[in-house]
């Protein structure tokens, strides 16, 4: 197929001006510009981590037309469910939950065991696929934009996260309003604004996911070392942020 006939390239060139329209120095400005530039449904997927809580704060307090959703894997920490409730009460808004397909969970646990992810990478990927990736697909179905809490300095896989980019795999514009924030800057903003955060952050958990796959950090360890710590670094992502050919996120900065 000639390049000019490629649906993927045509789509990417069409969305160039939209991607460029996502801009701003502040989180609120970036989110508002995304709402203005992207025509269609915008979805923010929150894990209720500290970055996501800061974004949730701005979406809810600015009353932006962005759906706030979370993927309840069924294996989250009790502290995360408490924070979920606290956040809904604080902002008097509901965070919509997407759940894994019950039959798929039954089949996956039947094959690998309830904690099979500790014993085989394939089991871990299968569990993340059933509990996270498939529900994410449903959450983003029909969306034109996807807001995430990714920061460029979180790990080697995320080192070139831009403010906005065309996600060819999902056919939408992906927006990361905290792409240039440090962990300390996010924490300072949450403190300043009184944003509720997970109690586990103060107990050595900078990155919080499912309870069996997240541990506290030892002194000097990088931020995401506590996630799937029994695997090597280049395979450790959950599969939510992949390129069209299944590679981990390594996009060029556009802002
Ligand atoms: S993080 Fe662990 S428990 Fe959660 S979906 Fe992935 S493998 Fe399963």
């Amino acid at each position: 197929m000639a390049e000019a006939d490629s649906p993927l390239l045509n789509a990417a060139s069409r969305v160039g001006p939209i991607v460029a329209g996502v801009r701003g120095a502040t989180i609120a400005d970036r989110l508002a510009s995304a709402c203005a530039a992207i025509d269609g449904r915008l979805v923010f997927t929150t894990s209720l981590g500290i970055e996501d809580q800061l974004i949730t704060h701005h979406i809810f307090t600015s009353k932006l037309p962005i759906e706030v959703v979370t993927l309840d894997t069924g294996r989250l920490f009790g502290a995360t469910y408490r924070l979920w409730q606290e956040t809904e009460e604080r902002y008097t808004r509901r965070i919509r939950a997407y759940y894994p397909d019950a039959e798929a969970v039954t089949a996956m646990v039947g094959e690998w065991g309830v904690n099979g992810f500790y014993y085989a990478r394939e089991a871990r990927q299968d569990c993340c696929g059933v509990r996270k990736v498939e529900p994410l697909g449903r959450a983003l179905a029909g969306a034109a934009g996807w807001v995430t809490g990714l920061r460029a300095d979180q790990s080697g896989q995320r080192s070139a996260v831009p403010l906005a980019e065309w996600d060819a795999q999902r056919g939408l514009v992906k927006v990361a309003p905290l792409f240039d924030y440090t962990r300390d800057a996010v924490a300072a903003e949450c403190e300043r604004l009184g944003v509720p955060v997970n109690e586990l952050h103060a107990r050595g958990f900078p990155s919080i996911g499912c309870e069996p796959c997240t541990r506290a950090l030892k002194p000097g360890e990088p931020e995401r070392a506590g996630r799937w710590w029994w695997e090597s670094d280049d395979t450790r992502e959950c599969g939510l942020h992949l390129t069209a050919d299944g590679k981990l996120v390594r996009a060029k900065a556009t802002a």
Side-chain angles (χ1 to χ4, degrees), residues 75 117 124 127-128 131-132 210 212-213 228:
R75 303 297 302 262
F117 35 77
R124 201 274 284 173
C127 187
C128 283
R131 294 185 187 275
K132 293 181 174 180
C210 293
C213 298
W228 308 290

Side-chain angles (χ1 to χ4, degrees), residues 19-250:
V19 169
V22 183
R23 55 169 70 102
T26 67
I27 303 164
D29 285 348
R30 291 169 178 180
L31 290 168
S33 73
C35 293
I38 301 169
D39 185 19
R41 182 171 162 250
L42 264 75
V43 176
F44 169 49
T45 49
T46 174
S47 67
L48 296 124
I50 192 166
E51 293 85 2
D52 292 347
Q53 286 296 98
L54 183 55
I55 294 172
T56 295
H57 171 89
H58 285 288
I59 292 173
F60 284 164
T61 56
S62 298
K63 297 184 169 48
L64 294 172
I66 300 174
E67 293 176 32
V68 180
V69 310
T70 195
L71 310 176
D72 184 353
T73 63
R75 303 297 302 262
L76 303 178
F77 285 88
T80 301
Y81 291 105
R82 287 193 290 278
L83 176 64
W84 183 349
Q85 176 192 356
E86 183 185 355
T87 304
E88 291 190 343
E89 290 174 354
R90 159 79 192 274
Y91 298 101
T92 61
R93 292 282 299 275
R94 191 69 78 205
I95 296 171
R96 180 174 177 182
Y98 283 82
Y99 292 93
D101 176 80
E103 286 186 16
V105 172
T106 303
M108 183 267 297
V109 172
E111 180 174 358
W112 297 108
V114 69
N115 287 337
F117 35 77
Y118 290 137
Y119 304 105
R121 182 173 302 155
E122 190 182 353
R124 201 274 284 173
Q125 289 170 336
D126 206 7
C127 187
C128 283
V130 167
R131 294 185 187 275
K132 293 181 174 180
V133 179
E134 190 279 332
L136 175 68
R138 272 186 275 126
L140 295 178
W146 177 19
V147 178
T148 80
L150 294 179
R151 295 185 355 255
D153 71 344
Q154 273 168 321
S155 73
Q157 290 87 8
R158 299 180 176 189
S159 60
V161 173
L163 171 56
E165 64 180 330
W166 171 240
D167 183 332
Q169 184 193 20
R170 299 188 184 278
L172 47 67
V173 178
K174 197 168 171 183
V175 181
L178 303 181
F179 81 106
D180 57 350
Y181 273 62
T182 63
R183 168 83 185 186
D184 287 349
V186 170
E189 270 300 276
C190 286
E191 176 83 23
R192 185 178 74 81
L193 297 167
V195 175
V197 299
N198 198 312
E199 65 201 52
L200 292 172
H201 290 313
R203 305 212 309 256
F205 292 82
S207 174
I208 303 168
C210 293
E211 188 273 338
C213 298
T214 311
R215 66 159 170 78
L217 290 189
K218 297 170 190 154
E221 283 188 318
E223 189 171 325
R224 287 181 65 81
R227 303 291 294 278
W228 308 290
W229 61 92
W230 61 93
E231 295 185 358
S232 63
D233 193 55
D234 62 345
T235 60
R236 200 179 288 165
E237 293 284 343
C238 55
L240 301 187
H241 301 289
L242 301 176
T243 60
D245 55 359
K247 295 199 172 92
L248 296 170
V249 172
R250 291 179 196 276

